[in-house]
Amino acid sequence: IGGVSGSVDFSFRKSSSNRAFFCSLNPYAMYLVSNNFAVGLNLDYNYNFTKYNYTSQTGSELIKYSANTLMFAPVVRKYFGSSRYRPYLGFATGLAIYQTNSFVPTSPDVSKSTNFGYFLNPEAGISYWLNEKVFFDLKASYDLINYNLNGAYHAVDLKIGVGIKIGKSTPKK
């Protein structure tokens, strides 16, 4: 028995000095290896584009910045109960690829960098089953370890997604 799920979100922000666009795509697939215990793979892609005015002693410049993040992670989850509401605890760990680009119009160069990092994200959530095949998933994960961020901050991600169950309708006990 397995299932696939995912979430997508978009954000637009505007102020007097900057504009930003952010989007995220988070598909994942899980396989129930025993009653209420699942393993799977998670793919998390984030894109951020920002334009902002930078004022220095020489004047004001419009700077464009973009960032791509791709996180590939094995995931384990322990579900509790068998009702329509199924809370769970789990964690994801794996490799992250970070790519950034900065462009300043008065400079001919585009600053590019690519970094790799390891991460560990504990998670807690709840799945709400509409029927035997379709569910909603609400998940919170905490950026406990992320070597690319150099300990600068720890993020909490909240995601709401929808999923479908593939395979038999009830697990073997």
Side-chain angles (χ1 to χ4, degrees), residues 21 31 66:
F21 170 73
Y31 180 75
S66 68

Side-chain angles (χ1 to χ4, degrees), residues 8-9 14 17 52 56 70 75 99 124 129 138 140 145 168:
V8 177
D9 63 80
K14 181 180 179 184
S17 61
Y52 63 94
S56 66
L70 179 63
V75 179
Q99 182 183 47
W129 289 81
L138 174 64
I145 298 173
K168 297 177 185 176

Side-chain angles (χ1 to χ4, degrees), residues 47 99 148 159:
Y47 175 75
Q99 182 183 47
N148 189 63
K159 294 189 169 133

Side-chain angles (χ1 to χ4, degrees), residues 3 12 22 32 35 39 45 52 57 62-63 73 78 81 85 102 107 115 131 135-136 147 154 156 158-159 169:
F12 299 94
F22 173 83
L32 196 60
N35 196 23
V39 296
Y45 173 75
Y52 63 94
Q57 294 175 350
L62 180 67
I63 296 176
K78 171 64 176 156
Y85 294 97
S102 294
S107 170
N115 297 308
N131 56 41
F135 62 95
F136 288 106
Y147 283 104
H154 297 281
V156 174
L158 296 174
K159 294 189 169 133
S169 14

